[in-house]
Amino acid sequence: MKSATRKLFYAFAVLALAGVLSIVLGANTRLRAGNSDEGDGFGGHGLNGTWYVKVNLSDCQTGALIGNPFYSYLAFAGNGTMAENTENPGFAVGQRSSGLGIWNRAGWRVYNAKSVAFIFFTTPPAPPMNPGFTAGTQTIAQQIRLEGPDQFSSKATIQFADSTGAVYRNGCAVATATRFK
């Protein structure tokens, strides 16, 4: 009798362990799939890859465009990391580093991305292109929407902080992008 009870207990323990493992492995697969491009409606292209981005600064309240557009490159890796580089003429030569960040899938053809770049030195305002920047960081948070297999649009908020982390300026931007091929 004790042998039958023990066998039943071990069988139950093995089944319970198998159930826990399937839950854990399934959750891990779903977490990794958070940046998957499967089911994007465009044959799996999704956000992964490098994009040529046209950026327009905009008024955060009205959405009105400010100044001339400039261009950036954004590269999204399947592991949820990203890199970016810009030619924004508002920065002095060598003033801003490339940005590094993270991204994730937020919904059907919608992604969130956040990147940060260093501002290496302070410059005074030089209108109309340069509002003046303080050494510290620039953080860009954006919501990206795939418009096709090789196009996206985005809306971004921009935050500038000094070297102590105190925010001294906020801004907004809109962008359109084409996949770099």
Side-chain angles (χ1 to χ4, degrees):
M1 186 70 139
K2 288 182 183 178
S3 176
T5 304
R6 189 173 303 150
K7 286 181 183 177
L8 186 59
F9 172 77
Y10 287 131
F12 178 75
V14 168
L15 286 174
L17 180 60
V20 168
L21 284 174
S22 69
I23 290 170
V24 169
L25 292 175
N28 186 35
T29 300
R30 283 189 300 277
L31 287 173
R32 285 186 286 119
N35 295 331
S36 170
D37 293 318
E38 293 176 19
D40 65 8
F42 299 122
H45 293 289
L47 197 57
N48 286 328
T50 301
W51 297 81
Y52 183 62
V53 185
K54 179 181 176 182
V55 181
N56 278 97
L57 298 179
S58 63
D59 182 287
C60 293
Q61 275 67 46
T62 67
L65 301 182
I66 301 170
N68 293 321
F70 58 91
Y71 296 89
S72 298
Y73 280 103
L74 300 179
F76 298 92
N79 64 356
T81 61
M82 66 173 289
E84 63 84 19
N85 206 345
T86 187
E87 56 94 34
N88 183 338
F91 296 106
V93 174
Q95 184 175 25
R96 182 189 183 276
S97 73
S98 296
L100 297 174
I102 57 173
W103 68 278
N104 67 312
R105 190 173 187 162
W108 177 252
R109 299 182 184 165
V110 178
Y111 302 84
N112 292 323
K114 187 174 185 178
S115 60
V116 65
F118 289 109
I119 307 296
F120 294 120
F121 54 89
T122 299
T123 52
M129 297 301 289
N130 180 343
F133 296 100
T134 301
T137 59
Q138 177 191 32
T139 302
I140 302 170
Q142 60 183 314
Q143 186 170 76
I144 298 167
R145 177 163 182 73
L146 286 181
E147 304 293 346
D150 298 321
Q151 300 88 33
F152 77 63
S153 63
S154 74
K155 292 183 180 182
T157 58
I158 306 157
Q159 187 177 74
F160 292 93
D162 65 19
S163 58
T164 69
V167 174
Y168 67 89
R169 180 180 301 127
N170 290 298
C172 293
V174 294
T176 56
T178 56
R179 188 179 299 278
F180 182 77
K181 293 182 180 184

